Amino acid sequence: MASKEYYELYRQSSIGLALIDTLDAMVHEGRIEPQLAMKIVSTFDRVITEVLADKVKARLSFKGHLDTYRFCDEVWTFLIKDANFKLDNQSNIQAEKVKIVSCNSKKPGET
């Protein structure tokens, strides 16, 4: 049975980078094999995608100035300047620059 592949976007999140740094250190110290580290990162890709889809129900809206957008390999990337985010609890967060990456929930060819 072929395993389902997941996007690797969350590897660049703060938690993903921390995981990869920790696994890299453990491999270099000889505490785990590189194959195990790769398996852990692959599991991370799957689990974080599933948990975010199933457990996170918060919503937000935002306004800003669209600086750049692109669509490549079924992935949208938006660069927003002077963004203002309004959260569910009505609090506001402002940011000078924001990068939003958006992918389909299913990869091309999946049913």
Side-chain angles (χ1 to χ4, degrees):
M1 180 170 115
S3 64
K4 183 176 178 184
E5 290 187 39
Y6 291 86
Y7 289 108
E8 298 175 0
L9 312 167
Y10 299 109
R11 293 181 186 187
Q12 295 301 311
S13 66
S14 56
I15 192 169
L17 291 172
L19 174 64
I20 291 169
D21 286 346
T22 302
L23 292 171
D24 189 43
M26 293 176 79
V27 168
H28 285 301
E29 293 169 3
R31 295 172 62 193
I32 63 172
E33 295 293 322
Q35 295 83 0
L36 177 58
M38 292 178 70
K39 175 76 171 156
I40 292 169
V41 172
S42 178
T43 301
F44 170 78
D45 293 338
R46 177 182 57 81
V47 170
I48 196 156
T49 300
E50 291 171 356
V51 167
L52 289 174
D54 293 342
K55 304 290 183 195
V56 177
K57 303 298 180 202
R59 299 215 180 253
L60 63 83
S61 61
F62 67 93
K63 291 182 181 181
H65 300 285
L66 180 61
D67 183 51
T68 307
Y69 66 94
R70 73 185 76 93
F71 181 69
C72 182
D73 296 332
E74 298 293 319
V75 177
W76 280 102
T77 304
F78 302 94
L79 300 175
I80 313 291
K81 288 187 175 178
D82 301 321
N84 184 20
F85 294 89
K86 187 172 184 178
L87 307 176
D88 276 346
N89 63 6
Q90 303 302 315
S91 63
N92 289 316
I93 299 173
Q94 294 182 338
E96 186 178 322
K97 292 186 229 175
V98 176
K99 180 179 182 180
I100 298 173
V101 179
S102 176
C103 302
N104 290 328
S105 61
K106 294 183 180 181
K107 287 193 170 186
E110 287 184 352
T111 58

